[in-house]
Amino acid sequence: MGVRRDHLHALYADTSDPWDFVRSDYEQAKFAATRAALMRPRYSSAFGMGCGNGQLTRHLVDVCDRYTDMDAVAIAIEAAREAVPDAAFIQDFYPCPLPTDNFDLLILSETLYFLDPGSLHGHRQRLPKAEVLCVSWLGETDHVLQGEEAFTIFTPALDTHDFDCVTQTDGYRIDRGLPRGAT
């Protein structure tokens, strides 16, 4: 079983920024590295899962015609809407029905290890042509899955894509998945 909804709400009980995204040099550098990992200069429609307070979205929204992000926690969504008024935000808890837009970019930044192995298989049919960026934290989590382990489960499930590590630091790695035959 992945992380439960009450765990996510507890993280945001006292703040809309439990990981200090706004002030952390580490987080801001990771967001900039995520943007630098993009293969193309422009995308028509992007989807992010687990937007938190929208700080990563803020780094990516201007290279997308449309940007939709999702999080399970209302306070996170409110903070994200305030930080990035040009993006659309959905409050829901995955697994759930995802938007049906024809996304050409999917951002999974430090969210895969919040899911369970079964949930990691749900994206295959809707992303045959999307570039996929997976940011994985390399430290220990208190979840069932760790970052690299979740990524290792996710990538074979998305067997329409080839993944390459484009950035790695002591704290995180960024893998980019491109549809087979797109490179």
Side-chain angles (χ1 to χ4, degrees), residues 72-100:
V73 182
I75 192 170
I77 292 291
E78 290 170 25
R81 284 185 178 133
E82 186 176 313
V84 194
D86 294 336
F89 295 94
I90 300 166
Q91 183 184 350
D92 214 335
F93 184 77
Y94 190 79
C96 63
L98 296 176
T100 57

Side-chain angles (χ1 to χ4, degrees), residues 5 32 38 58 65 76 78 89 94 122 148 153 173:
R5 192 183 309 242
L38 295 173
R58 196 172 55 79
D65 295 336
E78 290 170 25
F89 295 94
Y94 190 79
E148 285 186 292
I153 294 169
R173 66 182 279 166

